[in-house]
Amino acid sequence: MAIIALQTESDIIVPSEGGDVEILYTIEDESRFMPIGIECGDRWVSHYEAVTQGSIRLYIEPNISNAQRTTTVTLHCNTEHITLTITQLCLSDEMPKIVLTSNKHVELDRNKCSTQITYELQNADDTTSLYVNCDYWWISHIDKSQYGVVTVEVMPNYSGNPRSARILLKVGTSQEEVVVTQRADGEILFEAKELLGAYYGDQLKEGIGNYWIILCDNRLDEYGQASPSSTYYRIDLYGEKYVIDDTNIVPIPEGVYTFDAESSCACGTFTARNSNLWQTDIKGNSRDIIPFEAGELVVERERITL
């Protein structure tokens, strides 16, 4: 009796482009050569060829569909038989694919902050590039320079309402989407990097100095234009009149300044008419301009708190 045994794996994976597959087997029998029969019901497996005793070559046609396909091949010798499975991948199995390793929904507080989206690329090589897109103006910066990490920075949320942005990550035809939601509740903690301003003397109210100041995270450019993705607190402040000396340096008088809804230009106030919050998008265009409704400004020797 002939006993047939496989020398290759019984489950064979074939790439989408197909090609030759060699099956190795052994027959335990005293005969020098035993004929092998092959059966397969799928036409994409063809060209059965006995290379040598113990070796059979199959030809697998290309798989141009978008789905894997599987078939079985049976080898038999006399009354003995053995079955193996052939699975052929489809094109989408072998194309670059992005897989998120972080959450698809991220929630941030209302302050200026950042978050990281992490991912893995499958079937990728050195030429594979990641495409990231987000068209929401308050997403101030996206950094994808580090493999596996996309860092997203957001601007402070002064809108009074929660807001959400969709961030698309794409590699070839494979894509993932992450939704970033920014809350509107809680305090805003804004640290100004720059203090800009101008002093207009007592042009608007005799004996009262007018100090026009801007607290911002990015200064204006040389032409007086706003920087991209920036926040500007513009404050029309009135205090003691200052006599300009040779230094041309005008200090802001220390003290507490209250919001003046009537814009009376009274000493110790800042006006509702000309005081507001101003934000720009990633291109430097003006977006939200939000008037103040209340507030108190404290000027100390080396600190200004609004």
Side-chain angles (χ1 to χ4, degrees), residues 102-115:
S102 58
N103 293 331
K104 289 191 174 184
H105 292 84
V106 179
E107 185 175 272
L108 303 174
D109 65 37
R110 68 180 301 197
N111 286 283
K112 179 179 182 179
C113 57
S114 65
T115 187

Side-chain angles (χ1 to χ4, degrees), residues 255-257 296-300 303-306:
V256 178
Y257 298 82
E296 182 179 87
L297 183 76
V298 180
V299 179
E300 301 172 283
R303 185 182 182 88
I304 297 177
T305 306
L306 178 62

Side-chain angles (χ1 to χ4, degrees), residues 132-173:
V132 182
N133 182 58
C134 181
D135 293 329
Y136 295 79
W137 72 267
W138 50 275
I139 302 294
S140 58
H141 183 64
I142 295 178
D143 182 7
K144 61 172 186 175
S145 60
Q146 179 182 350
Y147 172 80
V149 178
V150 175
T151 301
V152 180
E153 297 179 5
V154 303
M155 298 183 67
N157 185 4
Y158 296 98
S159 68
N161 298 300
R163 56 189 182 185
S164 295
R166 297 181 181 276
I167 300 174
L168 177 68
L169 288 75
K170 187 174 182 180
V171 175
T173 59

Side-chain angles (χ1 to χ4, degrees), residues 156-201:
N157 185 4
Y158 296 98
S159 68
N161 298 300
R163 56 189 182 185
S164 295
R166 297 181 181 276
I167 300 174
L168 177 68
L169 288 75
K170 187 174 182 180
V171 175
T173 59
S174 173
Q175 64 183 44
E176 291 282 3
E177 187 177 78
V178 177
V179 177
V180 175
T181 299
Q182 189 177 27
R183 300 197 303 268
D185 59 315
E187 282 191 84
I188 288 284
L189 303 176
F190 178 80
E191 184 175 348
K193 299 178 181 178
E194 300 283 347
L195 170 62
L196 311 175
Y199 178 61
Y200 296 102

Side-chain angles (χ1 to χ4, degrees), residues 272-291:
R273 182 177 59 243
N274 294 320
S275 300
N276 53 53
L277 171 70
W278 176 33
Q279 288 185 297
T280 61
D281 62 20
I282 197 169
K283 296 181 180 179
N285 299 320
S286 177
R287 301 297 302 200
D288 286 353
I289 298 179
I290 304 172

Side-chain angles (χ1 to χ4, degrees), residues 33-62:
F33 182 83
M34 295 292 295
I36 291 291
I38 304 173
E39 295 179 2
C40 180
D42 290 283
R43 291 185 176 182
W44 51 273
V45 179
S46 59
H47 293 186
Y48 311 132
E49 179 183 2
V51 180
T52 61
Q53 176 79 3
S55 175
I56 293 176
R57 182 177 298 143
L58 306 179
Y59 176 74
I60 311 298
E61 296 182 356

